[in-house]
């Protein structure tokens, strides 16, 4: 696999982890259990990696077009 596929795979798994942690917090609040303070901070752990990988994946098509010499608004 190349770098793009690795980053895409990592981004997917990080988003699954992030969504699961946030859902678990909401479910515990819905049941009436007040989680500890550190539980609220757990979604912040994968967030910087999600941001970096998401920005990379967002910029990837623009960088590819820029390297090939085409403008962003041009049709293929």
């Amino acid at each position: 696999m190349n770098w793009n596929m690795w980053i895409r795979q990592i981004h997917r798994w990080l988003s699954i982890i992030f969504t699961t942690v946030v859902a678990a917090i909401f479910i515990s609040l819905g049941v009436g259990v007040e989680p500890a303070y550190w539980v609220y901070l757990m979604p912040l752990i994968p967030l910087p990696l999600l941001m970096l990988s998401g920005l990379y994946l967002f910029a990837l098509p623009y960088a590819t077009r820029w390297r090939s010499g085409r403008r962003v608004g041009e049709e293929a």
Side-chain angles (χ1 to χ4, degrees):
M1 277 201 307
N2 58 12
W3 272 104
N4 296 339
M5 292 303 294
W6 276 105
I7 292 176
R8 198 173 300 271
Q9 226 21 40
I10 289 170
H11 186 79
R12 285 180 187 148
W13 281 105
L14 284 173
S15 66
I16 290 171
I17 292 169
F18 177 79
T19 305
T20 305
V21 169
V22 171
I25 290 172
F26 276 106
I27 289 170
S28 68
L29 287 173
V31 171
V33 177
E34 183 68 29
Y37 178 72
W38 61 270
V39 174
Y40 291 112
L41 299 177
M42 283 181 61
L44 297 177
I45 295 170
L47 208 54
L49 294 172
L50 270 172
M51 185 189 71
L52 290 174
S53 61
L55 287 173
Y56 173 80
L57 292 172
F58 176 78
L60 192 61
Y62 297 104
T64 304
R65 289 183 193 143
W66 179 71
R67 277 188 273 162
S68 69
R70 292 189 305 175
R71 292 176 149 229
V72 173
E74 290 180 1
E75 293 295 322

